[in-house]
Amino acid sequence: MSISRRTFLGWLGAAGAGTSLGRSAHAAGTANFTGYPDSLGVLFDATRCIGCRKCEEACNRVNELPAPAKPFSDLAVLDRKRRTDAKTYMVINRYDNIPGAKGPVYRKIQCNHCLEPACASACFVRAFAKNSNGAVTYDESVCVGCRYCMIACPFEIPTYEYDRAFTPRIMKCTFCQPRLLKGQLPGCVEICPAEALTFGRRRHLLKIARERIGLFPARYIDHIYGETEMGGTTWLTISGVPFRELGMREDLGTTSAPELTKGALSVVPIVAGLWPVLLTGIYAISQRKDRIAREEKAAAVDEAVTRARAEAKAKLAEALAKADKDKKAAIDKEVKKALADAAKAKVQETAAASAAAPEKKSS
C-alpha cells in the first residue's frame, strides 16, 4: 500500500483539528528566546567581496556535494541570479548598475542560522535544532518530508531533494557544524581571499561591524542586517548600498518567527502526540494490504509455474513422440534401402552367373 506524504499529513491535520476542540495547548519552543550569548557567527562585508566564488568551491568540497556542471572558475554564472538548491548550499550573486555604487556589488547567500529559526518552529517532529554554537542543524532520520520548513523560512533557504524518490532530504547550509566541533573554521571563511568573511562570537562581530560603520560612514549603510531581522540571525551583513538592492528583504521586522506563529502552532504538540498512534495504525493497514498482495502474487506465480510445467511436459512428450516416429521412419527407410541393395546385388550376381555358363559349355 502506498500512501503519499500529502495524504498522510492531511490525516494528521484532520486528527489534530478534531482532538483540539475544547482544549488549549502551547507549541513547544514558541517561548521568546534571544539566542545563546556565546554563539558563533559570521560577518559578511559586501564592500570587500570580489565575487571570486572561492567560498562556493570550498563549501562544495567540505560538504562533499556533487560537482557543478561548470567549474567554479567560470564567473559567467554570475550573469544570472541564482539561489541555493539541494546540491548547492551557498551561492554568490552579482548586482550591477546600483545607484551610488562604483561597480558591481556581490552578495553571499546561505542559511542565516536564525537565533529563533522559523524552520525549527514549523517542524512538528523537531528535525531542526538550534545549537549553542549558532548552527541550525537538521536530522534527516525523523523528517517526514512535509516541507513546512521551506514555507516557513522568510529567506527561502531550505531546499528539497526531489530527485531522490525514496530517501529525500531537506538540504541547506550546516554552518560547517562538523568542522566547528573540531575547532575548525567554516570552509567559506577559511578560503576567502578578500577577508569579506569574519568568523567569531556573534556579540564580537556586532562590535566589529559597528566599528567599521563608524570609521567609514561614507562607505557603509548604517545598519547591520541580521542584528534584529526576524529576531536576529547568526550570519550578519554590512553593505555600502541599500540591502534591497541586493535582493534582501527589508520588510521582515524584528519579531521572531516562533513569536509570530505561536498561535497557529498551538496544535502542533497534539498532532505530534498522535503521530505514534496514527503511524502504528497506518503501518498495520499497510502490512495487511501488503500481506494479501504477497499471497495473491504467490498464488498467481504458483499457477503460472504449474501451467508452464504442464505445457512444457506436453511439448516434451510431443517432441519425444515425433522423434521416436522420425527414428522409426529413418530405420525403416534404411532397412528398405538395404534390402533393395541386396536384391539388386543378387540379380546382378545371377545375371553374371548365367552369362558365364554358355562359355564353359563351348569350351
Side-chain angles (χ1 to χ4, degrees):
M1 176 185 181
S2 63
I3 303 173
S4 68
R5 287 192 174 94
R6 184 185 297 274
T7 302
F8 178 66
L9 292 170
W11 291 351
L12 283 177
T19 56
S20 64
L21 295 176
R23 300 173 60 183
S24 61
H26 298 283
T30 58
N32 187 39
F33 171 64
T34 57
Y36 295 98
D38 289 326
S39 69
L40 301 170
V42 175
L43 172 64
F44 171 65
D45 190 334
T47 69
R48 296 185 178 187
C49 182
I50 58 176
C52 64
R53 300 185 66 205
K54 291 293 184 181
C55 52
E56 289 188 39
E57 183 177 4
C59 178
N60 179 274
R61 183 180 67 255
V62 301
N63 289 290
E64 299 179 349
L65 298 172
K70 296 181 179 180
F72 291 103
S73 58
D74 185 355
L75 301 184
V77 299
L78 299 177
D79 292 339
R80 62 180 180 87
K81 299 300 180 289
R82 299 175 296 149
R83 59 157 295 173
T84 59
D85 57 39
K87 298 178 176 61
T88 310
Y89 286 173
M90 62 137 297
V91 296
I92 292 290
N93 276 345
R94 186 185 69 215
Y95 299 84
D96 299 306
N97 302 318
I98 299 177
K102 296 181 179 180
V105 182
Y106 301 92
R107 171 193 168 199
K108 185 176 185 296
I109 303 173
Q110 76 293 303
C111 175
N112 289 314
H113 297 275
C114 303
L115 301 185
E116 300 182 69
C119 55
S121 69
C123 182
F124 60 87
V125 294
R126 299 187 179 183
F128 289 93
K130 178 67 175 180
N131 295 267
S132 59
N133 62 6
V136 176
T137 53
Y138 164 74
D139 183 357
E140 65 182 87
S141 67
V142 299
C143 178
V144 298
C146 67
R147 286 161 281 177
Y148 289 164
C149 54
M150 296 173 62
I151 300 172
C153 178
F155 304 107
E156 300 180 348
I157 292 299
T159 56
Y160 192 66
E161 290 184 311
Y162 290 101
D163 57 343
R164 292 181 55 167
F166 300 105
T167 57
R169 299 168 295 173
I170 294 294
M171 304 296 281
K172 73 171 193 68
C173 162
T174 64
F175 201 12
C176 287
Q177 170 77 341
R179 292 175 61 86
L180 295 185
L181 296 177
K182 296 177 183 179
Q184 299 174 319
L185 291 171
C188 58
V189 176
E190 185 177 63
I191 202 172
C192 182
E195 298 185 353
L197 299 170
T198 305
F199 177 80
R201 301 291 177 188
R202 183 177 184 272
R203 64 174 185 272
H204 295 159
L205 296 177
L206 289 171
K207 292 180 180 178
I208 293 172
R210 292 191 187 99
E211 287 176 359
R212 290 185 189 177
I213 294 172
L215 289 173
F216 306 99
R219 181 187 300 178
Y220 295 100
I221 297 295
D222 189 12
H223 181 68
I224 306 171
Y225 195 97
E227 180 178 13
T228 59
E229 277 76 12
M230 293 299 294
T233 60
T234 298
W235 279 75
L236 306 168
T237 301
I238 53 177
S239 169
V241 299
F243 295 102
R244 63 179 176 274
E245 298 290 348
L246 302 181
M248 303 172 72
R249 294 182 60 179
E250 296 183 337
D251 61 341
L252 297 176
T254 61
T255 305
S256 67
E259 185 67 21
L260 290 171
T261 59
K262 64 181 180 181
L265 291 175
S266 63
V267 73
V268 169
I270 299 172
V271 174
L274 289 172
W275 168 274
V277 178
L278 290 175
L279 187 58
T280 301
I282 293 168
Y283 179 76
I285 294 172
S286 175
Q287 289 298 301
R288 182 174 180 275
K289 296 272 188 182
D290 290 343
R291 178 175 56 80
I292 294 173
R294 286 195 300 270
E295 291 174 354
E296 291 177 349
K297 183 178 180 179
V301 170
D302 290 341
E303 181 182 353
V305 170
T306 302
R307 184 169 61 252
R309 285 177 177 174
E311 291 176 357
K313 186 176 181 181
K315 289 182 179 180
L316 178 61
E318 182 181 351
L320 290 174
K322 186 177 183 302
D324 188 55
K325 182 179 179 180
D326 293 343
K327 182 179 179 181
K328 289 181 179 179
I331 293 172
D332 290 343
K333 182 179 179 180
E334 292 298 323
V335 169
K336 289 179 180 180
K337 181 180 179 183
L339 290 174
D341 291 344
K344 183 178 180 181
K346 187 174 182 181
V347 170
Q348 292 175 348
E349 182 181 350
T350 301
S354 298
E359 294 178 358
K360 289 181 180 180
K361 290 180 180 181
S362 63
S363 65

